[in-house]
């Protein structure tokens, strides 16, 4: 699956203001943004991305943030939500997009 550059049509200053460094924070806002960005890059339907975000928030209610990495949980939620879709994505594709999103520019 081709990796889609979500920001390719926009100016450089706009791109830089939207590029978050996900390694800096594990706040739920950043993780939700990570889920949304990965969903766009994977060309997932909107309801599938919202289902992944819902899975993430439900999971994090029952687990301490100190016990798990929220980005690993978010990636797992993307995979589980894609299984609900008519065209499930391969785990390798989801992992590659998640890794490139977290470690962008390296």
């Amino acid at each position: 699956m081709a990796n889609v550059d979500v920001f390719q049509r926009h100016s450089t200053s706009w791109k830089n203001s939207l590029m978050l460094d996900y390694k800096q924070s594990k706040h739920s806002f950043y993780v939700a943004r990570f889920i949304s960005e990965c969903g766009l890059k994977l060309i997932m339907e909107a309801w599938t991305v919202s289902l992944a975000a819902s899975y993430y928030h439900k999971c994090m209610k029952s687990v301490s943030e100190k016990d798990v990495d929220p980005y690993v949980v978010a990636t797992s939620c993307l995979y589980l939500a894609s299984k609900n879709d008519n065209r499930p994505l391969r785990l390798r594709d989801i992992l590659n997009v998640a890794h490139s999103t977290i470690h962008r520019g390296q």
Side-chain angles (χ1 to χ4, degrees):
M1 169 173 271
N3 192 359
V4 177
D5 183 8
V6 178
F7 306 109
Q8 77 186 44
R9 291 186 226 156
H10 303 289
S11 70
T12 306
S13 63
W14 191 76
K15 272 198 240 185
N16 291 338
S17 68
L18 290 179
M19 300 276 236
L20 296 176
D21 186 11
Y22 293 113
K23 292 180 280 185
Q24 296 276 330
S25 177
K26 295 183 181 201
H27 189 268
S28 63
F29 169 77
Y30 288 96
V31 180
R33 174 85 183 261
F34 169 78
I35 291 171
S36 177
E37 187 175 337
C38 287
L40 282 172
K41 288 180 179 180
L42 289 163
I43 313 171
M44 296 174 104
E45 295 183 21
W47 70 270
T48 309
V49 175
S50 64
L51 183 62
S54 176
Y55 285 163
Y56 170 76
H57 289 296
K58 285 180 186 177
C59 178
M60 293 309 283
K61 279 184 183 178
S62 63
V63 178
S64 172
E65 289 185 18
K66 296 176 184 174
D67 295 337
V68 295
D69 182 13
Y71 294 106
V72 173
V73 174
T75 304
S76 303
C77 291
L78 281 166
Y79 178 68
L80 288 174
S82 79
K83 297 288 270 182
N84 251 353
D85 202 353
N86 290 337
R87 53 171 202 89
L89 297 170
R90 294 184 355 211
L91 180 59
R92 184 187 65 155
D93 294 336
I94 295 172
L95 290 174
N96 285 340
V97 167
H99 183 268
S100 68
T101 303
I102 291 173
H103 302 285
R104 70 169 59 107
Q106 293 180 355

